[in-house]
Amino acid sequence: SLLVTSNGTLVAGGQFSRLDVSAAKIAQWNGAAWAPLGLGIGTGSSFSVKALAETASGDIIAGGFFNTAGGQSSLAIARWNGLAWSPIGNGIVGTVNALAIAGNGDIIAGGSFTSASGTAAFNIARWNGANWLALAGGLPNGNVQAVAIMQDGSIIAGGTFDTGGASPLRGIAKWNGSAWVSIGAITNGSSSGRVQSL
C-alpha cells in the first residue's frame, strides 16, 4: 500500500523488514531518504500492512494482518500520530484490506473479519472515535478488498462478497447510511468476480 500524506511525505506499507533502513512493514520517504515509523508493525515475517489512510489531523492509519504496532498490542489496525503508535479500540480480529476516512472523520475498515473490538461486524466496520460500529449486517460470504467514500457521504465497498444484509449483492455495494444497496453485480464469465480497487 502507498499513501502520499498532506505534507507530501510518501508512506509505504507491506511485508518487509527493511526499506533501505530497518523498517518493520512500514516506512516513510521524505524526498531524500527512507525512515521507519517508530518500531513499526509486528515482528513476524507473515505480518503485513495492506492499507493506509490519513486523518484530517494528519495521523496515519495502517491496516493489515498484524498483532502489534510500536511494540504494543494492536490487532489489524493502528494509528501513528507522528511520534508513537496506538491501537484503535481493541482492534479487529482478522485482516484489514482497505481503509477510507469519512467526511466526519470516521474510519471505515474493510477486510476479512467477523468482529471489531467485540462488536459483530462482517468484513466492514466504522470507528466513530470512541467505538467500532457495524454497518447493518455487513458484507458476509467473502471479503471486502476496497472501500471508497462518495461526495454524498455514501460508502462504496468492493470485494468477493455475495450478500449484504438482507439484500442480494455481489462484488460491489453501496451503504446509503442505513442499508447496503446494490449498484450492480460483478461476474467473471460464468463465475463470481471481485472488485479489488476503488
Side-chain angles (χ1 to χ4, degrees), residues 50-51 63-64 92 94-100 108-114 121-126 135 137-148 155-165 169-175 180 193-198:
K50 296 176 176 286
I92 291 173
T95 302
V96 171
N97 296 323
L99 292 167
I108 311 301
S112 179
F113 53 85
T114 57
F122 290 93
N123 300 321
I124 192 161
R126 175 193 294 262
L135 278 70
L139 296 164
N141 301 326
N143 58 57
V144 172
Q145 298 186 0
V147 178
I155 300 165
I156 309 297
T160 64
F161 51 85
D162 62 11
T163 185
L169 304 169
R170 181 175 291 170
I172 191 165
K174 174 182 177 179
W175 174 255
W180 289 103
R194 67 181 66 191
V195 171
Q196 294 178 298
S197 181
L198 288 168

Side-chain angles (χ1 to χ4, degrees), residues 1-197:
S1 183
L2 293 170
L3 168 72
V4 177
T5 67
S6 55
N7 67 6
T9 298
L10 174 66
V11 181
Q15 193 170 4
F16 55 83
S17 59
R18 292 186 62 84
L19 211 169
D20 285 347
V21 297
S22 180
K25 316 300 183 286
I26 190 166
Q28 58 187 350
W29 173 258
N30 63 8
W34 287 101
L37 275 68
L39 297 176
I41 301 290
T43 55
S45 61
S46 63
F47 295 136
S48 64
V49 171
K50 296 176 176 286
L52 295 166
E54 183 185 17
T55 68
S57 65
D59 289 358
I60 295 170
I61 309 300
F65 174 67
F66 52 84
N67 60 9
T68 63
Q72 62 178 314
S73 177
S74 295
L75 297 178
I77 190 165
R79 179 191 301 267
W80 172 256
N81 66 4
L83 298 173
W85 287 100
S86 61
I88 299 177
N90 291 324
I92 291 173
V93 179
T95 302
V96 171
N97 296 323
L99 292 167
I101 307 298
N104 65 356
D106 286 4
I107 299 168
I108 311 301
S112 179
F113 53 85
T114 57
S115 68
S117 288
T119 298
F122 290 93
N123 300 321
I124 192 161
R126 175 193 294 262
W127 173 257
N128 67 2
N131 299 291
W132 283 103
L133 306 172
L135 278 70
L139 296 164
N141 301 326
N143 58 57
V144 172
Q145 298 186 0
V147 178
I149 309 294
M150 299 294 285
Q151 287 185 328
D152 65 2
S154 59
I155 300 165
I156 309 297
T160 64
F161 51 85
D162 62 11
T163 185
S167 302
L169 304 169
R170 181 175 291 170
I172 191 165
K174 174 182 177 179
W175 174 255
N176 64 12
S178 59
W180 289 103
V181 296
S182 174
I183 55 169
I186 303 300
T187 57
N188 182 24
S190 60
S191 63
S192 297
R194 67 181 66 191
V195 171
Q196 294 178 298
S197 181

